Amino acid sequence: SCFYLENESAGNESFVFSSVACGGTFDVMHSGHKKLLTCAASCCQADGILTVGVTADEMLRHKNYSDEIGSSQQRAESVKSFLTFIFPSLKTRVLVISDPFGPPAYEPAYDAIICSNETIAGAKAINDKRLEKGFEP
């Protein structure tokens, strides 16, 4: 199932999961990134885990202004710092990914992928990969 959390009707429902994933370049930690990460963290159960995939440097070589984007390690640290600041007790796993799918395409445990309007096609592609492997989308 897919839920669009910004939909007005979604405000009356509670979306809480044990294993949540999201991903992105996180080139500069701007309000959109903070909103995505806050939403993803808010969807985690108290004893759950949030996995964040940060796009590897080699995947950004053809992106506009790639020479102005910080290293994958710098970007991952920025994500970790933000998550620790807003949800200090949340268990997180921030890792650099070198393909467009990340762990949810290869590990069955995920029960939610949080994405933005810009990345919804990627989330659907991940769910297609999950279905191919017999995982729940």
Side-chain angles (χ1 to χ4, degrees):
S1 298
C2 262
F3 305 100
Y4 186 59
L5 295 178
E6 290 187 351
N7 184 329
E8 291 176 22
S9 66
N12 298 328
E13 300 177 41
S14 177
F15 297 99
V16 181
F17 305 95
S18 62
S19 185
V20 176
C22 69
T25 303
F26 300 103
D27 46 346
V28 175
M29 188 60 71
H30 56 70
S31 61
H33 292 139
K34 291 176 181 178
K35 183 177 179 181
L36 176 71
L37 293 169
T38 300
C39 181
S42 296
C43 288
C44 284
Q45 294 174 348
D47 61 346
I49 182 168
L50 171 61
T51 300
V52 181
V54 176
T55 308
D57 297 332
E58 59 269 15
M59 291 180 61
L60 301 175
R61 289 202 176 113
H62 300 293
K63 187 172 179 163
N64 289 339
Y65 308 106
S66 62
D67 56 327
E68 296 176 20
I69 297 173
S71 74
S72 54
Q73 281 310 115
Q74 291 170 322
R75 293 179 283 118
E77 283 302 318
S78 177
V79 167
K80 284 180 197 173
S81 293
F82 178 74
L83 290 171
T84 300
F85 177 72
I86 61 165
F87 290 95
S89 63
L90 179 66
K91 184 176 178 185
T92 59
R93 179 177 154 204
V94 179
L95 52 119
V96 175
I97 57 171
S98 55
D99 69 30
F101 307 108
Y106 312 107
E107 300 171 7
Y110 294 93
D111 47 21
I113 299 170
I114 307 301
C115 62
S116 66
N117 285 334
E118 293 82 16
T119 60
I120 196 160
K124 287 180 180 178
I126 292 168
N127 274 339
D128 289 344
K129 287 256 186 213
R130 291 180 62 77
L131 283 171
E132 287 173 13
K133 295 186 180 301
F135 302 159
E136 288 288 321

